Amino acid sequence: MKSALLRYRVLAYLVGVMLLVLVFVAVPLHYLRDSPGLSQIVSPIHGFLFFVYVLVTFDLSRYTKWSLPRTLLIMISGTIPFMSFVMEHKVNAEVTAELAAQTGELAT
Amino acid sequence: MLRRLLAPQMLALHVVAVVAVLACALLGLWQLDRTRAFNQTAVDPAPAPITTVTQVEGSLRDGAAGRLVSLVGTYDATQQFTVTDRGGDPWVLTVLQVGATGPARPGVLVVRGRLAAGAVAPAPPTGLVEVIGRLQAAEPSSGAPATGSYELAAVSPVDLLTRVPYPLYDGYVVLRSQVPPAPASLALVPSPAVPDTPPGYVWQHAGYVALWWAFGLFALFFWYRLVSDRLADS
């Protein structure tokens, strides 16, 4: 579960950063400056990373037993600028607390 | 088990799964279409009247360069030139005045064809002609030809402004067909349609095809895990 959380966090960061580059740099360059070069490189990479993000989120949800709406919400938050960082922070705090509780139970 | 599979909540899940998989499959097909668009050969729309795509002493309208255009008018035999530096034999360029009569009718540069080696440029047909050809953006000016010279180094209306006693349309037309027919000593200069390049790269759209279908497969897998989990729970 710990490594699943780490995988999720890495991908959430990557997808979040790529999305910001896409929305605030590449797409304005493409449509306002008519220079599509950057967006044609960043867009497919972002698409692929988002797919991996969805996979690792699903993997994490197997451990955490999230409800379906919750899982979908976390997946979708990867497509909203800044939201993936907020969600990653929340998920990390929650899962870390749960992990601590589990190890606490084991210790007693 | 069948009854549990058909419970209302489960049915909703099935419907959502079918919609998601279908949507991904169709989005993948859409990107596949865009990938294929790269291999398409261009198809010309019907010729547009010259007055609708370029302007007298103005500039070509957006998307006008490369279009087939039609024009009706009279060649001005006194404004006929040869264009050198065309990778072989020179081109023959004649100014065509659009419209039927009147000395001030605006002119269009028409590349009538390539001159056979050693031949003398044939005079243009007299009287009203109908021309269909491809409109091209003017080449950069190379300076007006010296008085008395009928040789041009570039196909540019700007270069002829001081020579031609009436206004000129921007761009030039490469002759494709003409009524009455063009003389045999002139070979038409080829002007194939240039295919519109679709936005993006081939591999980009091909990648999106794979990505959409991967999402579709994932939706299927997701649905399968959800259903088997719920069956195991109850």
Side-chain angles (χ1 to χ4, degrees), chain B residues 80 85 87 118 158 171 199:
Chain B
Q80 176 157 293
D85 280 340
V158 175

Side-chain angles (χ1 to χ4, degrees), chain A residues 39-41 43-44 47-48 50-51 54-55 58 62 68 71-72 75, chain B residues 13 199-201 203-204 208 211 214-215 218 221-222 225-226 229-230:
Chain A
S39 97
Q40 283 170 351
I41 291 165
S43 308
F48 175 75
F50 180 70
F51 181 66
V54 165
L55 288 185
F58 175 77
R62 305 293 297 167
L68 176 60
T71 310
L72 291 180
M75 286 174 177
Chain B
L13 198 63
Y201 300 120
W203 62 263
Q204 185 186 7
Y208 287 153
L211 203 55
F215 272 115
F218 173 74
F221 170 68
F222 202 168
R225 292 311 293 260
L226 281 171
D229 280 2
R230 293 206 176 172

Side-chain angles (χ1 to χ4, degrees), chain A residues 19-76:
Chain A
L19 187 61
L20 291 188
V21 173
L22 202 58
V23 169
F24 292 105
V25 184
V27 169
L29 274 180
H30 188 166
Y31 292 102
L32 301 180
R33 286 290 158 81
D34 207 18
S35 114
L38 186 64
S39 97
Q40 283 170 351
I41 291 165
V42 177
S43 308
I45 297 175
H46 172 262
F48 175 75
L49 281 179
F50 180 70
F51 181 66
V52 180
Y53 167 80
V54 165
L55 288 185
V56 299
T57 306
F58 175 77
D59 179 50
L60 184 62
S61 78
R62 305 293 297 167
Y63 295 100
T64 55
K65 307 263 191 281
W66 288 328
S67 68
L68 176 60
R70 182 101 210 268
T71 310
L72 291 180
L73 184 74
I74 292 170
M75 286 174 177
I76 287 165

Side-chain angles (χ1 to χ4, degrees), chain B residues 25-109:
Chain B
L26 290 177
L27 286 163
L29 283 178
W30 165 59
Q31 287 294 334
L32 191 64
D33 257 3
R34 300 190 62 176
T35 309
R36 286 192 181 132
F38 283 88
N39 304 322
Q40 264 171 12
T41 44
V43 181
D44 273 315
I50 183 109
T51 47
T52 64
V53 289
T54 179
Q55 305 172 57
V56 176
E57 288 173 353
S59 51
L60 297 191
R61 299 194 194 281
D62 283 347
R67 277 207 64 153
L68 284 186
V69 293
S70 60
L71 40 156
V72 178
T74 56
Y75 280 116
D76 182 349
T78 65
Q79 302 294 344
Q80 176 157 293
F81 303 83
T82 53
V83 190
T84 53
D85 280 340
R86 295 293 130 175
D89 301 321
W91 290 358
V92 174
L93 182 153
T94 311
V95 179
L96 183 143
Q97 283 188 276
V98 178
T101 49
R105 286 170 292 142
V108 182
L109 276 53

